[in-house]
Amino acid sequence: MDDANASHRHVPVLLNRTLELLAPALENRPAVVVDATLGLGGHSAALLAAHPQLTLVGLDRDPQALEMAGRRLTAFADRTHLVHAVYDEIADVLDGLGLPRADGVLFDLGVSSLQLDADERGFSYSRDADLDMRMDPTRGPTAADVLNTSAPGDLVRILREYGEERFAARIVSQIVKRRETRPFTRSAELVELLYAAVPAASRRTGGHPAKRTFQALRIEVNGELEALRRALPAALGSLSVGGRIVVLSYHSLEDRMVKRELAAGAASRTPVGLPVELPGHGPELRLLTRGSEPATPDEIEDNPRAASVRCRAAERIREAAP
Protein backbone atom coordinates (compact mmCIF):
# COMPACT_ATOMS: atom_id res chain seq x y z
CA MET A 1 0.00 0.00 0.00
CA ASP A 2 1.24 3.51 -0.81
CA ASP A 3 2.04 5.33 2.45
CA ALA A 4 1.06 8.77 1.22
CA ASN A 5 -2.29 7.55 -0.07
CA ALA A 6 -2.98 5.62 3.13
CA SER A 7 -2.25 8.64 5.31
CA HIS A 8 -4.37 10.86 3.09
CA ARG A 9 -7.32 8.46 3.28
CA HIS A 10 -6.99 7.95 7.03
CA VAL A 11 -9.44 10.12 8.97
CA PRO A 12 -9.10 9.59 12.75
CA VAL A 13 -12.45 8.86 14.38
CA LEU A 14 -13.72 11.39 16.96
CA LEU A 15 -10.46 13.33 16.67
CA ASN A 16 -11.71 16.65 18.08
CA ARG A 17 -13.60 15.00 20.92
CA THR A 18 -10.56 12.87 21.81
CA LEU A 19 -8.33 15.96 21.91
CA GLU A 20 -10.90 17.79 24.06
CA LEU A 21 -11.18 14.95 26.58
CA LEU A 22 -7.43 14.44 26.97
CA ALA A 23 -6.38 18.12 26.94
CA PRO A 24 -6.85 18.94 30.67
CA ALA A 25 -4.39 16.17 31.58
CA LEU A 26 -1.76 17.17 29.00
CA GLU A 27 -1.74 20.90 28.37
CA ASN A 28 0.97 23.39 29.36
CA ARG A 29 3.31 20.93 31.04
CA PRO A 30 5.53 17.92 30.37
CA ALA A 31 3.18 14.96 30.07
CA VAL A 32 3.15 11.38 28.81
CA VAL A 33 0.35 9.90 26.72
CA VAL A 34 0.07 6.30 25.53
CA ASP A 35 -1.62 5.73 22.19
CA ALA A 36 -2.31 2.04 22.78
CA THR A 37 -3.55 1.47 19.22
CA LEU A 38 -1.23 3.63 17.11
CA GLY A 39 -2.47 2.58 13.65
CA LEU A 40 -1.51 5.19 11.08
CA GLY A 41 -0.79 7.74 13.81
CA GLY A 42 -3.59 10.23 13.14
CA HIS A 43 -4.60 10.74 16.76
CA SER A 44 -0.95 10.77 17.85
CA ALA A 45 0.07 13.42 15.31
CA ALA A 46 -2.74 15.70 16.46
CA LEU A 47 -1.87 15.22 20.15
CA LEU A 48 1.82 15.96 19.57
CA ALA A 49 1.00 19.06 17.54
CA ALA A 50 -1.40 20.34 20.20
CA HIS A 51 0.94 19.79 23.16
CA PRO A 52 4.58 20.84 22.53
CA GLN A 53 5.80 19.35 25.83
CA LEU A 54 4.13 15.99 25.28
CA THR A 55 5.99 12.67 25.12
CA LEU A 56 4.06 10.03 23.20
CA VAL A 57 4.35 6.27 23.55
CA GLY A 58 2.74 4.54 20.58
CA LEU A 59 1.94 0.82 20.68
CA ASP A 60 0.89 -1.39 17.81
CA ARG A 61 1.12 -5.11 17.14
CA ASP A 62 1.30 -4.47 13.38
CA PRO A 63 4.89 -3.85 12.19
CA GLN A 64 3.64 -2.18 9.00
CA ALA A 65 1.55 0.27 11.02
CA LEU A 66 4.55 1.15 13.19
CA GLU A 67 6.69 1.81 10.12
CA MET A 68 4.10 3.99 8.42
CA ALA A 69 3.18 5.89 11.59
CA GLY A 70 6.86 6.47 12.26
CA ARG A 71 7.20 8.23 8.92
CA ARG A 72 4.09 10.28 9.60
CA LEU A 73 5.47 11.34 13.00
CA THR A 74 9.00 12.15 11.79
CA ALA A 75 8.66 15.81 12.81
CA PHE A 76 8.04 14.68 16.40
CA ALA A 77 10.67 11.93 16.52
CA ASP A 78 12.43 13.42 19.56
CA ARG A 79 9.18 13.13 21.57
CA THR A 80 7.97 9.71 20.46
CA HIS A 81 8.61 6.10 21.43
CA LEU A 82 7.01 3.63 19.00
CA VAL A 83 6.89 0.07 20.32
CA HIS A 84 5.90 -3.24 18.74
CA ALA A 85 3.53 -4.50 21.42
CA VAL A 86 -0.08 -5.46 22.13
CA TYR A 87 -2.01 -3.01 24.29
CA ASP A 88 -2.13 -5.33 27.30
CA GLU A 89 1.63 -4.76 27.60
CA ILE A 90 1.21 -1.07 28.56
CA ALA A 91 2.70 -1.41 32.04
CA ASP A 92 5.74 -3.34 30.81
CA VAL A 93 6.35 -0.86 27.97
CA LEU A 94 6.22 2.15 30.30
CA ASP A 95 8.52 0.41 32.78
CA GLY A 96 10.97 -0.44 30.00
CA LEU A 97 11.08 3.22 28.96
CA GLY A 98 11.61 4.40 32.53
CA LEU A 99 8.26 6.18 32.59
CA PRO A 100 6.52 5.51 35.91
CA ARG A 101 3.08 6.83 34.95
CA ALA A 102 1.03 8.07 32.02
CA ASP A 103 -1.06 11.25 32.01
CA GLY A 104 -3.28 10.03 29.19
CA VAL A 105 -4.17 6.74 27.51
CA LEU A 106 -6.07 6.33 24.25
CA PHE A 107 -7.59 3.13 22.86
CA ASP A 108 -9.05 3.20 19.34
CA LEU A 109 -10.17 -0.40 19.18
CA GLY A 110 -10.97 -2.75 16.32
CA VAL A 111 -9.45 -3.11 12.89
CA SER A 112 -7.41 -0.15 11.64
CA SER A 113 -7.84 1.70 8.35
CA LEU A 114 -4.50 0.29 7.22
CA GLN A 115 -5.58 -3.30 7.83
CA LEU A 116 -9.07 -2.87 6.39
CA ASP A 117 -7.83 -1.18 3.23
CA ALA A 118 -4.98 -3.63 2.54
CA ASP A 119 -6.46 -6.24 0.19
CA GLU A 120 -3.78 -8.79 1.02
CA ARG A 121 -4.60 -8.86 4.75
CA GLY A 122 -8.02 -10.53 4.36
CA PHE A 123 -9.96 -8.38 6.84
CA SER A 124 -12.58 -7.19 4.37
CA TYR A 125 -15.43 -9.37 3.12
CA SER A 126 -15.87 -7.06 0.12
CA ARG A 127 -12.56 -8.03 -1.54
CA ASP A 128 -11.13 -11.49 -2.22
CA ALA A 129 -7.86 -12.20 -0.40
CA ASP A 130 -6.07 -14.86 1.61
CA LEU A 131 -8.00 -15.59 4.82
CA ASP A 132 -5.35 -14.15 7.13
CA MET A 133 -6.80 -11.43 9.45
CA ARG A 134 -3.73 -11.30 11.72
CA MET A 135 -3.03 -7.80 13.00
CA ASP A 136 0.55 -8.98 13.49
CA PRO A 137 1.24 -10.99 10.33
CA THR A 138 4.48 -12.35 11.78
CA ARG A 139 2.90 -14.67 14.34
CA GLY A 140 -0.04 -16.87 15.23
CA PRO A 141 -2.74 -18.80 13.35
CA THR A 142 -4.65 -17.24 10.46
CA ALA A 143 -8.40 -17.09 9.98
CA ALA A 144 -8.05 -19.99 7.53
CA ASP A 145 -6.32 -22.03 10.25
CA VAL A 146 -9.20 -21.33 12.63
CA LEU A 147 -11.82 -22.30 10.05
CA ASN A 148 -10.04 -25.44 8.92
CA THR A 149 -8.88 -26.89 12.26
CA SER A 150 -11.23 -25.75 15.05
CA ALA A 151 -13.72 -28.20 16.53
CA PRO A 152 -17.29 -27.50 15.39
CA GLY A 153 -18.36 -26.58 18.92
CA ASP A 154 -15.54 -24.08 19.22
CA LEU A 155 -16.49 -22.49 15.90
CA VAL A 156 -20.12 -22.14 17.01
CA ARG A 157 -18.97 -20.47 20.23
CA ILE A 158 -16.68 -18.07 18.34
CA LEU A 159 -19.43 -16.98 15.96
CA ARG A 160 -22.02 -16.61 18.72
CA GLU A 161 -19.84 -14.85 21.29
CA TYR A 162 -17.68 -12.66 19.09
CA GLY A 163 -19.99 -12.10 16.13
CA GLU A 164 -23.36 -12.35 17.89
CA GLU A 165 -24.34 -14.50 14.91
CA ARG A 166 -27.71 -16.17 15.50
CA PHE A 167 -27.20 -18.59 12.61
CA ALA A 168 -23.87 -19.83 14.00
CA ALA A 169 -24.81 -23.52 14.14
CA ARG A 170 -26.17 -23.45 10.60
CA ILE A 171 -23.06 -21.69 9.28
CA VAL A 172 -20.66 -24.03 11.08
CA SER A 173 -22.46 -27.08 9.72
CA GLN A 174 -21.77 -25.79 6.20
CA ILE A 175 -18.15 -24.88 7.06
CA VAL A 176 -17.43 -28.37 8.39
CA LYS A 177 -19.01 -30.04 5.37
CA ARG A 178 -17.00 -27.87 2.97
CA ARG A 179 -13.62 -28.17 4.72
CA GLU A 180 -13.77 -32.00 4.64
CA THR A 181 -13.21 -31.90 0.89
CA ARG A 182 -11.62 -28.50 0.29
CA PRO A 183 -9.98 -26.40 3.05
CA PHE A 184 -10.68 -22.67 3.09
CA THR A 185 -7.92 -20.41 1.77
CA ARG A 186 -9.63 -17.28 0.36
CA SER A 187 -12.14 -14.81 1.75
CA ALA A 188 -14.41 -15.08 -1.30
CA GLU A 189 -14.90 -18.79 -0.58
CA LEU A 190 -16.20 -18.00 2.89
CA VAL A 191 -18.40 -15.15 1.66
CA GLU A 192 -19.97 -17.46 -0.92
CA LEU A 193 -20.74 -20.04 1.78
CA LEU A 194 -22.25 -17.39 4.07
CA TYR A 195 -24.56 -16.13 1.34
CA ALA A 196 -25.86 -19.69 1.01
CA ALA A 197 -26.05 -20.41 4.75
CA VAL A 198 -27.75 -17.23 6.00
CA PRO A 199 -31.49 -17.18 5.22
CA ALA A 200 -32.60 -14.77 2.53
CA ALA A 201 -34.94 -12.91 4.89
CA SER A 202 -32.06 -12.11 7.23
CA ARG A 203 -29.88 -11.01 4.30
CA ARG A 204 -32.52 -8.48 3.32
CA THR A 205 -32.76 -6.88 6.77
CA GLY A 206 -29.61 -7.75 8.71
CA GLY A 207 -26.84 -6.24 6.62
CA HIS A 208 -24.13 -8.15 4.77
CA PRO A 209 -24.29 -11.85 5.73
CA ALA A 210 -20.49 -12.01 6.17
CA LYS A 211 -20.15 -9.07 8.56
CA ARG A 212 -20.67 -10.93 11.84
CA THR A 213 -18.62 -13.98 10.89
CA PHE A 214 -15.67 -11.91 9.69
CA GLN A 215 -15.80 -9.87 12.91
CA ALA A 216 -15.85 -13.03 15.01
CA LEU A 217 -12.91 -14.59 13.18
CA ARG A 218 -10.87 -11.40 13.46
CA ILE A 219 -11.48 -11.17 17.21
CA GLU A 220 -10.56 -14.84 17.68
CA VAL A 221 -7.43 -14.71 15.52
CA ASN A 222 -6.09 -11.67 17.36
CA GLY A 223 -7.33 -12.50 20.87
CA GLU A 224 -8.79 -8.99 20.99
CA LEU A 225 -11.23 -9.33 23.87
CA GLU A 226 -8.83 -11.24 26.09
CA ALA A 227 -6.14 -8.64 25.43
CA LEU A 228 -8.61 -5.83 26.19
CA ARG A 229 -9.70 -7.56 29.41
CA ARG A 230 -6.08 -7.42 30.58
CA ALA A 231 -5.30 -4.03 29.05
CA LEU A 232 -8.00 -1.93 30.73
CA PRO A 233 -6.90 -2.51 34.35
CA ALA A 234 -3.26 -2.21 33.26
CA ALA A 235 -3.95 1.15 31.61
CA LEU A 236 -5.97 2.47 34.55
CA GLY A 237 -3.25 1.30 36.95
CA SER A 238 -0.68 3.25 34.92
CA LEU A 239 -2.62 6.54 35.07
CA SER A 240 -1.37 9.29 37.36
CA VAL A 241 -3.85 11.21 39.50
CA GLY A 242 -5.44 13.71 37.12
CA GLY A 243 -4.66 11.45 34.18
CA ARG A 244 -7.36 10.57 31.68
CA ILE A 245 -8.32 7.56 29.59
CA VAL A 246 -10.36 7.66 26.37
CA VAL A 247 -11.67 4.46 24.75
CA LEU A 248 -13.27 4.29 21.30
CA SER A 249 -15.18 1.02 20.81
CA TYR A 250 -16.89 -0.27 17.69
CA HIS A 251 -19.10 -3.12 18.85
CA SER A 252 -21.13 -3.97 21.91
CA LEU A 253 -18.75 -6.61 23.30
CA GLU A 254 -15.93 -4.09 23.62
CA ASP A 255 -18.18 -1.31 24.87
CA ARG A 256 -19.72 -3.46 27.61
CA MET A 257 -16.27 -4.44 28.82
CA VAL A 258 -15.13 -0.80 28.92
CA LYS A 259 -18.36 0.27 30.65
CA ARG A 260 -17.92 -2.31 33.42
CA GLU A 261 -14.27 -1.43 34.05
CA LEU A 262 -14.82 2.31 34.22
CA ALA A 263 -18.01 1.99 36.29
CA ALA A 264 -16.20 -0.19 38.82
CA GLY A 265 -13.48 2.43 39.22
CA ALA A 266 -16.04 5.21 39.61
CA ALA A 267 -17.97 3.40 42.35
CA SER A 268 -17.45 3.71 46.10
CA ARG A 269 -16.30 0.61 47.94
CA THR A 270 -17.79 1.79 51.24
CA PRO A 271 -20.42 -0.73 52.40
CA VAL A 272 -23.97 0.37 51.63
CA GLY A 273 -25.68 1.98 54.60
CA LEU A 274 -22.67 3.61 56.22
CA PRO A 275 -23.25 7.36 56.70
CA VAL A 276 -19.70 8.39 55.75
CA GLU A 277 -17.15 7.37 53.12
CA LEU A 278 -14.53 5.09 54.62
CA PRO A 279 -10.95 6.31 54.10
CA GLY A 280 -9.45 4.77 50.97
CA HIS A 281 -12.82 3.40 49.84
CA GLY A 282 -14.01 6.30 47.66
CA PRO A 283 -14.16 6.27 43.86
CA GLU A 284 -10.86 6.19 42.01
CA LEU A 285 -12.27 7.47 38.73
CA ARG A 286 -14.58 10.26 37.58
CA LEU A 287 -16.57 9.48 34.46
CA LEU A 288 -16.21 12.16 31.77
CA THR A 289 -18.93 11.00 29.38
CA ARG A 290 -22.60 10.36 30.03
CA GLY A 291 -22.86 6.78 28.95
CA SER A 292 -21.20 6.14 25.61
CA GLU A 293 -20.97 9.00 23.14
CA PRO A 294 -21.57 8.36 19.42
CA ALA A 295 -20.17 10.36 16.53
CA THR A 296 -22.23 13.27 15.28
CA PRO A 297 -24.19 12.95 12.02
CA ASP A 298 -21.78 15.40 10.38
CA GLU A 299 -18.76 13.30 11.31
CA ILE A 300 -20.41 10.10 10.11
CA GLU A 301 -21.14 11.80 6.79
CA ASP A 302 -17.48 12.83 6.48
CA ASN A 303 -16.13 9.53 7.82
CA PRO A 304 -18.50 6.53 7.49
CA ARG A 305 -16.25 4.39 9.69
CA ALA A 306 -17.36 6.54 12.64
CA ALA A 307 -20.93 5.23 12.36
CA SER A 308 -20.53 2.50 14.98
CA VAL A 309 -18.09 4.21 17.37
CA ARG A 310 -18.89 4.64 21.05
CA CYS A 311 -16.65 6.81 23.22
CA ARG A 312 -16.16 6.49 26.98
CA ALA A 313 -13.69 8.44 29.09
CA ALA A 314 -12.65 8.80 32.73
CA GLU A 315 -10.22 10.72 34.93
CA ARG A 316 -8.23 9.24 37.82
CA ILE A 317 -9.12 11.26 40.93
CA ARG A 318 -7.13 9.34 43.54
CA GLU A 319 -4.51 6.64 43.73
CA ALA A 320 -5.64 3.08 43.21
CA ALA A 321 -6.25 1.08 46.37
CA PRO A 322 -3.37 -1.25 47.21
Side-chain angles (χ1 to χ4, degrees), residues 194-206:
L194 292 167
Y195 264 106
V198 174
S202 178
R203 295 202 305 268
R204 286 193 294 270
T205 60

Side-chain angles (χ1 to χ4, degrees), residues 121-141:
R121 303 291 289 273
F123 285 96
S124 174
Y125 47 78
S126 62
R127 295 185 291 272
D128 186 31
D130 287 339
L131 269 171
D132 192 315
M133 298 195 196
R134 291 174 297 171
M135 292 178 176
D136 182 350
T138 68
R139 66 181 75 176

Side-chain angles (χ1 to χ4, degrees), residues 239-266:
L239 272 185
S240 59
V241 174
R244 293 183 167 208
I245 182 171
V246 175
V247 186
L248 308 181
S249 305
Y250 294 86
H251 61 76
S252 59
L253 298 172
E254 294 171 339
D255 186 52
R256 284 198 295 268
M257 196 178 297
V258 176
K259 177 183 178 180
R260 285 195 298 267
E261 194 71 34
L262 297 188

Side-chain angles (χ1 to χ4, degrees), residues 19 28 54 57 68 77 79 81 89 104 124 138 156 161 172 190 197 202 214 218 229 235 238 244 248 259 299 302 319:
L19 293 175
N28 301 322
L54 180 67
V57 179
M68 293 171 67
R79 296 193 281 129
H81 303 278
E89 300 174 84
S124 174
T138 68
V156 171
E161 290 186 12
V172 170
L190 178 57
S202 178
F214 271 62
R218 189 201 81 220
R229 189 171 286 113
S238 299
R244 293 183 167 208
L248 308 181
K259 177 183 178 180
E299 175 161 4
D302 291 340
E319 291 289 352

Side-chain angles (χ1 to χ4, degrees), residues 10-15 18 37 43 106-113 116 162 164 211 215 218-219 224-225 228 247-256 258 292-295 299 303-312:
H10 175 52
V11 181
V13 174
L14 290 184
L15 178 59
T18 297
T37 48
H43 288 103
L106 170 64
F107 289 89
D108 184 8
L109 300 171
V111 63
S112 73
S113 298
L116 198 60
Y162 299 158
E164 300 177 289
K211 179 179 180 180
Q215 172 183 294
R218 189 201 81 220
I219 290 172
E224 291 177 46
L225 294 182
L228 183 60
V247 186
L248 308 181
S249 305
Y250 294 86
H251 61 76
S252 59
L253 298 172
E254 294 171 339
D255 186 52
R256 284 198 295 268
V258 176
S292 62
E293 293 183 358
E299 175 161 4
N303 184 10
R305 287 181 182 168
S308 59
V309 73
R310 293 295 181 268
C311 173
R312 295 183 187 270

Side-chain angles (χ1 to χ4, degrees), residues 163-175:
E164 300 177 289
E165 175 55 77
R166 60 194 176 107
F167 300 110
R170 181 171 177 163
I171 290 169
V172 170
S173 174
Q174 295 299 312
I175 288 172

